[in-house]
């Protein structure tokens, strides 16, 4: 009995629903492929206009002032409302009285456009409309804007600020060093090893091998290496020990020649300088490594000094030198190669120790100023990081964002 | 046939280089001198065609820069000529009386590169690092990063002796450095092993067809 009633009620409900559906279908205009185009009802309702539009000069390094970037807010009908925005039209004009021409069609959901190849300094009027495929919304306009040649990139002001601080510190310490103040620099253990190594080579009557890396002369490690080379050359000149300097770059060879020659002259041994010992081997990394290995085995230097920029050849050199029984001292700021030097050499100047060594050895005011300046710059850096961490924790992210310059 | 010959030459040179593992010998010497000589000649040609010809010879003498014609005496022409002349000045060191002139070129070269490198180095190695390491000590990872960073910076602080609290931080820094070096060493050894596998594969597969 219950089932009968249930069946009856279901039938009535279905009948009512189908009747309603049929009525609704009859009321709705039917559009199919056979319907003439003029009978298709047109979408005459334009989407709502986008929100506030801003246009500003594009800031970039080397910006020639020919770019303007635009940002706007989504139309209320983009993704919501009638949900019929197909694209945004960006209009550009040279006068306020005319909308000008469409210069870009930006997909719905996007709110940014970079207009390029503009006339620097010329004033442009922009407007943006939402477009649903048929209708254009009312335009949203903004104040006229002109591109400027940007000689200064404001987004990188933090770099300038810290460079001023750094060079201020360097200048102050350089002046103090020039004035004769005793600027303390702690002794680096690896430096004693250099002198010991040269002394040992002298006792054994064998040469010293100094490899300034395979970096170009523009590499700061190569420059620091040449300063240390000067110190080593003075010691070998005094001891009258041959100094062999193989190089992988022609310009580095020229610079090494100058440095060694100058060092020999300064200690009163200009005649002991042998230009044939400053050698160009090859620009090719492993050809250079192979040739230096050959020197180690055939000329049997008692001390091998590797100072500068090294890559994959570091272990090849250090391992061969170890097998040959030479005392070895290395110094590099190449983090990826330090493990090999630490493993295979007797002493290693790690990272910044290479630069500190050149300042320590020469006591040159400019180098000392640079070393002391970079030391105190580390303190400034730690203070800024601590301040940033505290502010970040408290929810003030602006300070940290200031240091994100990309 | 040509492939077999070149593969065999490559295999013989590979074995000659590996013979160094036993001791220095004429085969290694031959391979070493061959690669040094060939690379020197190769780089001479590469440097000429990639740098000297397009940047100096063609603009100065043929008045062309890339696909564009440049005028004699124009800004682009001078910008090609002056660095070329500075390069030539390097050769004055072959003449002892005027050898000092070579230092002008070196000075401009080194100074120019150092100046150009300042801003990127400050950006990448200082500014960005400050932003990335201003971390609140709210997790173990953050604590490790901050302690490791402070310790490493303390180790590379040269203006004071490593005593007291600075010494403690410096020793902590050394521990972090050595852990990092160990990881780097292991990673690189693995990549070197893959290079060795590549050469062994060349010998056994490409040359001898054994595998």
């Amino acid at each position: 009995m219950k089932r009968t009633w249930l069946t009856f009620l279901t039938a009535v409900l279905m009948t009512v629903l189908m009747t309603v559906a049929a009525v609704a279908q009859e009321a709705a205009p039917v559009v199919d492929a056979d319907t003439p185009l003029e009978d298709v009802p047109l979408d005459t309702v334009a989407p709502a206009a986008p929100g506030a539009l801003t246009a500003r000069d594009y800031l970039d390094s080397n910006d020639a002032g020919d770019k303007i970037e635009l940002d706007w807010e989504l139309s209320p009908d983009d993704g919501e409302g009638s949900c019929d925005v197909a694209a945004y039209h960006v209009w550009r004009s040279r006068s306020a009285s005319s909308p000008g021409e469409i210069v870009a069609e930006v997909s719905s959901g996007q709110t940014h456009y970079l207009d390029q190849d503009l006339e620097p300094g010329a004033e442009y009027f922009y407007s943006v409309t939402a477009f649903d495929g048929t209708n254009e919304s009312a335009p949203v306009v903004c104040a006229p804007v002109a591109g400027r040649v940007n000689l200064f990139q404001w987004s990188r002001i933090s770099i300038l600020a810290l460079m001023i601080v750094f060079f201020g510190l360097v200048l102050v310490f350089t002046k103090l060093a020039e004035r004769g103040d005793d600027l303390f620099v702690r002794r680096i253990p690896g430096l004693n090893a250099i002198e010991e190594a040269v002394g040992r080579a002298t006792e054994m009557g064998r040469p010293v091998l100094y490899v300034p890396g395979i970096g170009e002369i523009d590499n700061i490690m190569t420059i620091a290496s040449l300063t240390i080379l000067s110190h080593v050359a003075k010691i070998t000149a005094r001891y009258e020990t041959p100094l062999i300097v193989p190089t992988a770059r022609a310009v580095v060879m020229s610079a090494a020649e100058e440095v060694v020659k100058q060092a020999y002259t300064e200690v009163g041994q200009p005649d002991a300088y042998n230009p044939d010992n400053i050698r160009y081997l090859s620009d090719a990394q492993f050809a250079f490594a192979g040739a230096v290995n050959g020197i180690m085995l055939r000329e049997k230097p008692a001390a091998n000094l590797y100072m500068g920029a090294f890559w994959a050849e570091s272990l090849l050199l250090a391992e061969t030198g170890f097998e040959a029984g030479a005392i070895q001292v290395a110094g590099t700021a190449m983090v990826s190669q330090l493990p090999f030097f630490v493993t295979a050499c007797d002493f290693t100047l790690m990272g910044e120790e290479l630069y500190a060594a050149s300042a320590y050895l020469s006591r040159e005011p400019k180098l000392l100023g640079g070393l002391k300046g970079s030391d105190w710059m580390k303190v400034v850096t730690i203070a800024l990081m601590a301040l940033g961490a505290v502010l970040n924790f408290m929810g003030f992210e602006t300070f940290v964002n200031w240091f994100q310059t990309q | 046939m040509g492939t077999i010959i070149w593969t065999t030459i490559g295999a013989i040179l590979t074995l000659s280089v590996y013979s160094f593992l036993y001791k220095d010998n004429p085969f290694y010497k031959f391979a070493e001198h061959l690669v040094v000589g060939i690379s020197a000649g190769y780089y001479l040609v590469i440097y000429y065609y990639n740098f000297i010809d397009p940047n100096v010879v063609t603009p100065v003498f043929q008045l062309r820069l890339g696909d564009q014609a440049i005028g004699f005496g124009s800004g682009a022409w001078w910008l090609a000529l002056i660095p070329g002349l500075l390069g030539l000045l390097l050769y004055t060191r072959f003449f002892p009386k005027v050898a000092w002139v070579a230092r002008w070129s070196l000075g401009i070269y080194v100074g120019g590169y150092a100046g150009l490198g300042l801003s990127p180095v400050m950006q990448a190695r200082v500014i960005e690092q400050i932003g990335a390491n201003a971390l609140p000590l709210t997790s173990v990872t953050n604590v490790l990063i901050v302690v490791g960073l402070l310790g490493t910076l303390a180790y590379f602080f040269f203006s004071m002796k490593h005593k007291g609290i600075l010494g403690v931080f410096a020793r902590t820094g050394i521990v972090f450095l050595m852990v990092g070096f160990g990881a780097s060493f292991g990673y690189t050894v693995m990549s070197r092993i893959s290079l060795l596998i590549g050469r062994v594969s060349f010998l056994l597969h490409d040359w001898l067809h054994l595998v």
Side-chain angles (χ1 to χ4, degrees), chain A residues 184 186 217-218 251 253-254 257-258 282-283 290 297-298 340 350 353 372 375 378 385 389 403 405, chain B residues 20 24 28-29 32 39 47 93 103 106 109 113 123 127-128 135 155-159 162 188:
Chain A
F184 176 79
R186 72 174 169 84
I217 193 73
D218 57 296
V251 181
M253 189 192 80
S254 298
E257 279 183 333
E258 291 288 334
S282 171
D283 271 72
L297 294 178
R298 284 160 222 148
F340 302 113
M350 295 189 297
E353 285 180 334
K372 301 289 282 188
D375 257 6
K378 285 173 203 146
M385 280 192 280
F403 293 101
T405 55
Chain B
F20 184 74
D24 194 24
Y28 176 75
K29 280 182 193 168
E32 175 201 321
S39 66
Y47 283 146
R93 60 191 189 79
R103 293 183 182 183
L106 281 177
Y109 187 54
Y113 264 106
Q123 180 185 5
I127 306 282
E128 292 291 335
L135 300 167
Y155 177 77
F156 289 112
F157 192 75
F158 300 98
S159 295
H162 285 172
T188 312

Side-chain angles (χ1 to χ4, degrees), chain B residues 55-65 69-85:
Chain B
N55 295 320
V56 180
V57 176
T58 306
V60 171
F61 297 108
Q62 297 173 15
L63 303 179
R64 296 197 67 79
L65 189 60
I70 58 170
F72 179 81
S74 65
W77 187 82
W78 283 107
L79 279 176
L81 180 69
I82 292 172
L85 290 176

Side-chain angles (χ1 to χ4, degrees), chain B residues 8-187:
Chain B
T8 305
I9 290 172
I12 290 170
L13 288 172
T14 301
L15 291 172
S16 300
V17 171
Y18 276 128
S19 69
F20 184 74
L21 292 171
Y22 170 59
K23 68 175 186 178
D24 194 24
N25 62 74
F27 294 104
Y28 176 75
K29 280 182 193 168
F30 173 74
E32 175 201 321
H33 286 83
L34 186 70
V35 72
V36 169
I38 286 177
S39 66
Y42 175 75
Y43 276 96
L44 177 70
V45 175
I46 290 287
Y47 283 146
Y48 180 79
Y49 283 106
N50 284 2
F51 301 106
I52 297 173
D53 183 56
N55 295 320
V56 180
V57 176
T58 306
V60 171
F61 297 108
Q62 297 173 15
L63 303 179
R64 296 197 67 79
L65 189 60
D67 294 333
Q68 291 184 332
I70 58 170
F72 179 81
S74 65
W77 187 82
W78 283 107
L79 279 176
L81 180 69
I82 292 172
L85 290 176
L86 286 171
L88 284 177
L89 288 184
L90 283 174
Y91 292 99
T92 57
R93 60 191 189 79
F94 290 119
F95 309 99
K97 284 188 179 175
V98 290
W100 55 274
V101 177
R103 293 183 182 183
W104 286 5
S105 306
L106 281 177
I108 291 170
Y109 187 54
V110 174
Y113 264 106
L116 281 172
L118 272 177
S119 174
V121 167
M122 183 62 87
Q123 180 185 5
R125 299 194 182 179
V126 181
I127 306 282
E128 292 291 335
Q129 300 309 318
I130 292 174
N133 291 291
L135 300 167
L137 304 178
T138 51
S139 68
V140 176
T141 308
N142 286 4
V143 170
L144 281 174
I145 289 173
V146 170
V147 171
L149 181 71
L150 289 179
T152 309
L153 285 175
Y155 177 77
F156 289 112
F157 192 75
F158 300 98
S159 295
M160 290 181 192
K161 286 184 178 173
H162 285 172
K163 288 181 178 173
I165 187 74
L166 185 66
V168 172
F169 267 105
R171 281 191 293 278
T172 311
I174 275 289
V175 171
F176 274 85
L177 280 173
M178 290 306 151
V179 169
F181 289 163
S184 177
F185 190 93
Y187 175 78

